[in-house]
Amino acid sequence: MKAKILEVSHSKKLENAIFISVLLFIYKIVFPINETVVYLIINEIFIFLSVFAWVRYVSEFINPKLSKPLSLVVNTGILNALVFFIISISSWLFSETQNSITNTNIIYVLFSTLIVFVFIGSLAYIFSVYKNLCFHRQKKDPSIYFNTMVVFFLLTSVSASFLNPNTSVNNLEVLLDSGNDFIYNALYVVTIVLIFGNSLRVAWIAFLNKKQKLALLAISIVLSVLSWINFSTLFSEEFFLIRNFSPALEQLLSFVMVYGAIYFTVIFFTTLFHLPTAEAIDRKSQELTSVKDLSKLMNQVFDFEELSDTITSTTIKVSNSDSAWIVINEHNKINLHSIVGLGIIDANLISEFLIRNNLLSDSEVKVTDLTIFDKKYKLPKSIKSLVSAPLSVHNNNKGFLFAARKTSRIFEEEDSKPVGTFAGFAAVALENAKLLEESIEKERLEKELDVAREVQYKILPQKNPNYQKFDITSLFIPAFEVGGDYYDFFVIDDSRLGIVIADVSGKGIEAAFIMAEVKGIFATLSKLFDKPKDVLIRANSVLEESISKKSFVTAIYGVIDIKKETFKFARAGHSPLLYFSNNKIERLIPMGIGLGLDYTDKFRNTLKEMEIKLNNNDIITLFTDGINESLNAELEEFGYSRIEEIIKKNSELTVEELSNNIMKSVSTFSQNSSQHDDITLVLLKWKSHNNSKGEN
Amino acid sequence: MAEFDVGRHGVGSVSVLDVKGFLDAHTAPELENAFNGLINDKQYKVVVNFSNLQYISSAGLGVFMAYVETMRENNGDIKFCGLKDDVYNIFDLLGFPLLYEFYKVEKEAIEKFNQG
């Protein structure tokens, strides 16, 4: 039921109010004088209804304006003044006809009705404001007290119509005898007590800022006085206009005036007592708002400069300083940011002086009096004292936030504390900016990784060579991070095929580029030199010019000669070559230093060449250390022997099947660990009797 | 994860670096810092003790290659000692023993410096 009433829209409420007012107006035109009790009762019912309707309508408008209670108070003041003005004018205009209760002069009736409507409107507005202010920012619901007061307003007003000899219409004295008088008086006293009680609800004052409190102080005293005057004129014997129209309305109006007078007196004193603490409260609330604004900003803005500008400007406001700036300590150099209210040279001088002389604390907010130093150290004279707060992230000092005053007024604790708060914000903003930069860097590295991976794939041979005398297979599995594995085949002439497997040290884009270069070197040298040893010696000296001291390349380069049925190769620091023949498997490790480790004659002098005679079903296995260095959960390496075992046991399989077996075994072995290096595997199986008919 | 630590102590004119744990691309900069420190202090006679090293990757090997020239130019050297078999095999495969001196114990390596 209640909900339904609330749902009634604004326009509906306005319609109701106007409708009742029009009824009242027509009634008043037809029956200008309350001649009998019945007339009076109907008259008062109309009055109450219209007051009720207007209060309901006006309340809707007042509620949203509660955030600015001062403007509501000013509006009530204006209406109070209007009431005062009308009372003065009308009592002067109608002074002669004041007693003519039976005056039916049409002008008088029209005028008095008009005034009554103005009064009803003002009453409705003023009453609604009082009601809303009374409820505003109350912790407990005061409605029970307020509603009781309203009930007593009505009861007293009704009794004023019929039971009070002072106000009642003269010709209704039949109703009155002195015995009924006490009821009115008792109700009146209770109402006044209730008004006092409700006037104490002034919690909203605490939430005004100092300026508003000062304004309220002035307005409340004026309003209090105005309400008293209105009350007393309404009650005076000379003013009959309202009384003639409706005694209840007059009573209601006078109660609202009493309420206003008492309420504003209470407001005046409360505001007066609140005034000394107003500034502190203002500052606290400003600090709170700034903190709120800043934390909102932190989530939206990631640009450090933009945030630090806001931080320094709010620091100035909240800490009552003249200038503020941020110093960031990076690689033993200080950088100044967002300087407000001071020249960069002065700010730099002061910051450097304080940091060099260890006058700042890395953990807490510190107030420094600069006047002690300025003569001796030629510091800028304009700054007298300053607060410094460290910008710390995870106990790691990144710099300082400074707030400085040009007056010698020392920083109190409540001035310096917020500087610490804002330094915290600056530290977080700094950290955010760093994280953002890092994530951009990470993205860039990932892109780089993609490029490196692409380079690697383009460098590796797209397909395996196809020969009758042997089967060859190759397999490459990249690690997440690009390694430098490389293998290739070069057709030297009709009967010879060059094979290279190499591993560039290091990872990433650098390894990928060295790899590209290594491909070029071997592609060229394999055609220029017949002996694998010569190819590696030349490769080593070419690499001297292009790779860094820290990098090296391990490689095996060999040549298959189909006519001679041999494989001649040399090894430069690379993993062993596994040679399976006659059901035996051997690790072939001819001496040889890795490419890029030494550029003296030592490389040439120590490098050995080896030649294998290839028989039917012989298997040559070339691989990179990605296979033998694969780790299992116990951090054990896969090693060479496991590869050898698989080859020995499955030597009858094709090279593809063998390759799959080895890789399966590696992945079972290192199940729970991630692959940390590229894996390359090249398998070659000799098939000499296929050649019996062939001609190659 | 992979932990690495490098300690340094001096024995006469020789500086000993004790390497511990896993030496790979991520931990190599720590070893580089140690070498930079030696160069700053003009300590060019270096023995690297591998007794406590579990693993070395190609990036780890690169560190020695990067600094050995400076040491040798200043009448010093980098000598290795105390390598576990599997760590030594990595050096061996690459041909390091042809270019660097390897010793079983630290004392031996230090004596070698003092002799010559």
Side-chain angles (χ1 to χ4, degrees):
Chain A
M1 190 66 189
K2 202 172 180 186
K4 219 169 186 180
I5 292 169
L6 285 175
E7 275 167 23
V8 179
S9 63
H10 283 313
S11 56
K12 189 85 181 171
K13 281 177 184 168
L14 181 63
E15 273 174 32
N16 287 345
I18 291 173
F19 177 68
I20 294 166
S21 305
V22 169
L23 282 183
L24 175 67
F25 182 71
I26 292 166
Y27 178 80
K28 220 50 199 175
I29 298 294
V30 180
F31 307 103
I33 305 156
N34 300 316
E35 282 168 335
T36 66
V37 178
V38 182
Y39 286 149
L40 185 61
I41 289 171
I42 296 170
N43 180 57
E44 302 299 52
I45 286 172
F46 274 128
I47 292 281
F48 282 129
L49 278 178
S50 56
V51 168
F52 176 72
W54 282 110
V55 166
R56 269 188 65 201
Y57 174 66
V58 173
S59 280
E60 290 286 314
F61 283 98
I62 288 167
N63 231 335
K65 286 183 189 158
L66 268 178
S67 55
K68 291 175 189 162
L70 218 58
S71 67
L72 287 179
V73 172
V74 171
N75 288 349
T76 15
I78 293 167
L79 287 176
N80 267 308
L82 181 72
V83 169
F84 173 73
F85 181 71
I86 290 170
I87 292 171
S88 314
I89 292 281
S90 54
S91 52
W92 171 72
L93 267 179
F94 299 106
S95 54
E96 290 107 42
T97 52
Q98 55 184 246
N99 286 320
S100 50
I101 290 160
T102 52
N103 192 342
T104 49
N105 179 353
I106 187 71
I107 294 165
Y108 175 78
V109 170
L110 275 177
F111 189 78
S112 65
T113 313
L114 190 73
I115 284 171
V116 163
F117 279 122
V118 173
F119 274 28
I120 288 174
S122 306
L123 176 79
Y125 188 90
I126 294 170
F127 179 75
S128 305
V129 169
Y130 291 169
K131 185 186 165 189
N132 277 296
L133 285 179
C134 175
F135 280 59
H136 191 36
R137 293 195 191 265
Q138 286 294 333
K139 278 189 195 133
K140 287 180 197 159
D141 186 7
S143 55
I144 181 151
Y145 301 103
F146 197 85
N147 290 342
T148 316
M149 182 182 78
V150 171
V151 167
F152 272 90
F153 272 14
L154 295 177
L155 285 175
T156 318
S157 303
V158 170
S159 66
S161 292
F162 305 108
L163 306 173
N164 184 5
N166 288 333
T167 54
S168 286
V169 182
N170 289 354
N171 55 351
L172 296 179
E173 273 171 32
V174 269
L175 270 174
L176 298 166
D177 58 57
S178 51
N180 291 332
D181 210 16
F182 80 96
I183 298 177
Y184 169 77
N185 287 338
L187 285 172
Y188 195 90
V189 169
V190 173
T191 312
I192 295 294
V193 170
L194 283 168
I195 286 175
F196 264 109
N198 278 293
S199 295
L200 296 175
R201 305 195 180 277
V202 288
W204 53 276
I205 293 175
F207 298 90
L208 300 177
N209 63 33
K210 193 185 177 186
K211 221 170 128 191
Q212 289 170 321
K213 276 176 188 156
L214 280 173
L216 184 64
L217 201 65
I219 297 167
S220 63
I221 187 79
V222 171
L223 265 174
S224 175
V225 169
L226 202 58
S227 299
W228 279 120
I229 294 171
N230 281 345
F231 169 70
S232 54
T233 25
L234 272 173
F235 240 46
S236 71
E237 294 291 321
E238 287 89 44
F239 191 67
F240 277 94
L241 195 128
I242 305 284
R243 200 174 298 160
N244 290 346
F245 193 95
S246 156
L249 180 65
E250 191 208 9
Q251 189 62 59
L252 215 51
L253 203 56
S254 74
F255 274 142
V256 170
M257 288 303 152
V258 172
Y259 185 72
I262 294 170
Y263 195 46
F264 282 108
T265 312
V266 172
I267 286 174
F268 174 76
F269 285 108
T270 315
T271 315
L272 197 63
F273 294 134
H274 267 98
L275 222 47
T277 55
E279 201 171 332
I281 290 170
D282 274 13
R283 199 180 309 159
K284 271 275 166 273
S285 75
Q286 191 181 31
E287 203 181 312
L288 216 66
T289 331
S290 315
V291 167
K292 224 170 78 187
D293 289 350
L294 257 180
S295 32
K296 211 164 117 194
L297 210 62
M298 301 281 280
N299 291 324
Q300 293 164 349
V301 184
F302 292 103
D303 179 44
F304 177 68
E305 288 300 325
E306 200 176 317
L307 274 174
S308 63
D309 284 352
T310 319
I311 288 166
T312 49
S313 54
T314 32
T315 302
I316 287 188
K317 262 192 264 165
V318 176
S319 67
N320 271 330
S321 0
D322 301 306
S323 53
W325 67 96
I326 288 173
V327 168
I328 309 280
N329 227 329
E330 250 175 339
H331 315 298
N332 289 326
K333 255 185 72 188
I334 61 167
N335 290 317
L336 273 66
H337 296 263
S338 309
I339 310 164
V340 184
L342 193 68
I344 182 161
I345 296 166
D346 285 354
N348 201 32
L349 264 174
I350 294 171
S351 318
E352 276 203 0
F353 167 77
L354 292 169
I355 291 170
R356 300 273 175 267
N357 292 293
N358 273 332
L359 290 167
L360 304 172
S361 161
D362 275 2
S363 55
E364 55 193 37
V365 179
K366 206 174 160 189
V367 179
T368 312
D369 184 4
L370 280 186
T371 49
I372 317 168
F373 307 107
D374 61 357
K375 271 184 201 139
K376 211 170 153 195
Y377 295 94
K378 289 182 183 157
L379 292 176
K381 286 199 175 61
S382 55
I383 300 296
K384 302 279 194 266
S385 78
L386 63 76
V387 180
S388 64
L391 311 184
S392 295
V393 181
H394 309 311
N395 288 328
N396 199 350
N397 186 272
K398 305 264 181 192
F400 296 93
L401 169 65
F402 290 101
R405 277 183 188 162
K406 293 180 176 172
T407 55
S408 48
R409 198 155 63 94
I410 195 87
F411 278 98
E412 305 281 348
E413 202 193 339
E414 64 263 25
D415 296 333
S416 58
K417 244 188 185 167
V419 182
T421 313
F422 290 116
F425 275 113
V428 174
L430 197 64
E431 184 69 4
N432 280 348
K434 210 184 91 199
L435 287 177
L436 187 72
E437 216 167 86
E438 276 173 5
S439 76
I440 291 169
E441 173 71 9
K442 203 178 148 209
E443 206 169 299
R444 195 184 64 79
L445 282 175
E446 271 165 21
K447 282 218 179 88
E448 198 178 77
L449 217 65
D450 291 343
V451 173
R453 174 70 63 216
E454 215 170 295
V455 169
Q456 192 172 23
Y457 270 115
K458 287 204 173 131
I459 285 169
L460 298 176
Q462 305 303 311
K463 58 179 189 190
N464 294 318
N466 192 6
Y467 283 87
Q468 284 193 325
K469 278 254 186 149
F470 59 89
D471 291 330
I472 197 161
T473 185
S474 59
L475 178 134
F476 167 72
I477 302 168
F480 171 70
E481 219 175 340
V482 176
D485 277 17
Y486 165 64
Y487 69 94
D488 218 339
F489 310 106
F490 310 105
V491 177
I492 300 167
D493 56 36
D494 283 350
S495 64
R496 286 184 301 165
L497 176 76
I499 298 177
V500 67
I501 184 162
D503 186 353
V504 178
S505 78
K507 287 179 161 75
I509 197 106
E510 198 195 347
F513 276 114
I514 295 175
M515 219 176 109
E517 194 167 4
V518 168
K519 182 189 172 87
I521 291 169
F522 279 100
T524 313
L525 294 178
S526 62
K527 289 186 174 62
L528 292 176
F529 299 94
D530 288 341
K531 300 179 80 177
K533 189 179 160 177
D534 289 340
V535 170
L536 288 177
I537 290 167
R538 285 306 177 112
N540 188 45
S541 49
V542 174
L543 276 173
E544 182 177 6
E545 279 155 35
S546 51
I547 65 174
S548 72
K549 273 197 239 171
K550 281 195 258 183
S551 305
F552 56 89
V553 180
T554 68
I556 288 178
Y557 175 74
V559 178
I560 293 176
D561 193 317
I562 294 160
K563 279 182 189 157
K564 290 190 199 161
E565 302 199 334
T566 55
F567 181 61
K568 196 190 248 183
F569 73 100
R571 185 193 69 96
H574 200 77
S575 307
L577 178 151
L578 302 182
Y579 173 52
F580 175 83
S581 183
N582 261 335
N583 268 331
K584 270 189 284 177
I585 191 152
E586 273 183 274
R587 280 176 215 172
L588 302 182
I589 316 175
M591 198 184 272
I593 303 171
L595 304 171
L597 285 172
D598 183 83
Y599 302 108
T600 65
D601 283 346
K602 220 176 226 171
F603 182 87
R604 173 198 295 270
N605 297 339
T606 54
L607 190 63
K608 298 279 180 288
E609 216 169 55
M610 208 177 233
E611 191 175 46
I612 314 168
K613 181 75 188 146
L614 293 163
N615 302 305
N616 191 36
N617 285 333
D618 282 2
I619 299 166
I620 290 174
T621 309
L622 296 165
F623 57 92
T624 54
D625 54 10
I627 293 188
N628 57 290
E629 285 183 9
S630 286
L631 298 174
N632 67 4
E634 281 81 46
L635 297 179
E636 240 179 304
E637 285 189 357
F638 190 73
Y640 303 133
S641 51
R642 286 189 176 84
I643 313 173
E644 291 164 347
E645 281 304 303
I646 297 166
I647 295 168
K648 240 167 116 178
K649 280 184 187 157
N650 305 287
S651 62
E652 75 290 350
L653 298 177
T654 65
V655 280
E656 281 82 18
E657 286 166 334
L658 257 179
S659 170
N660 282 341
N661 275 2
I662 293 169
M663 281 327 296
K664 250 186 233 162
S665 174
V666 169
S667 65
T668 323
F669 180 80
S670 60
Q671 216 165 25
N672 294 319
S673 340
S674 61
Q675 183 193 340
H676 60 89
D677 201 358
D678 288 355
I679 285 176
T680 304
L681 178 64
V682 178
L683 280 164
L684 180 148
K685 194 172 189 180
W686 199 257
K687 308 183 289 185
S688 58
H689 41 235
N690 284 5
N691 199 33
S692 49
K693 294 169 261 170
E695 42 185 83
N696 260 328
Chain B
M1 263 268 305
E3 275 174 59
F4 176 75
D5 194 29
V6 53
R8 172 183 159 183
H9 67 271
V11 181
S13 61
V14 182
S15 297
V16 180
L17 291 182
D18 281 299
V19 287
K20 209 185 270 181
F22 290 77
L23 179 54
D24 57 21
H26 300 287
T27 56
E30 275 185 64
L31 185 60
E32 283 172 15
N33 286 340
F35 272 105
N36 287 333
L38 288 172
I39 291 169
N40 270 341
D41 301 344
K42 298 197 164 33
Q43 296 292 312
Y44 303 112
K45 294 177 178 173
V46 185
V47 170
V48 184
N49 191 333
F50 279 79
S51 311
N52 295 311
L53 194 85
Q54 310 295 327
Y55 170 82
I56 186 162
S57 79
S58 59
L61 295 165
V63 179
F64 303 111
M65 292 158 56
Y67 289 96
V68 71
E69 226 170 88
T70 317
M71 303 303 177
R72 286 178 183 168
E73 277 164 8
N74 291 284
N75 294 321
D77 194 12
I78 299 175
K79 297 185 198 299
F80 302 118
C81 68
L83 285 84
K84 289 185 171 58
D85 283 349
D86 49 351
V87 175
Y88 179 77
N89 286 339
I90 292 170
F91 280 97
D92 189 31
L93 211 56
L94 277 164
F96 266 62
L98 298 169
L99 307 166
Y100 297 81
E101 292 170 31
F102 286 77
Y103 299 94
K104 281 235 149 47
V105 288
E106 191 180 304
K107 210 174 138 197
E108 234 180 308
I110 294 166
E111 270 167 17
K112 198 75 192 167
F113 266 122
N114 293 336
Q115 281 165 23

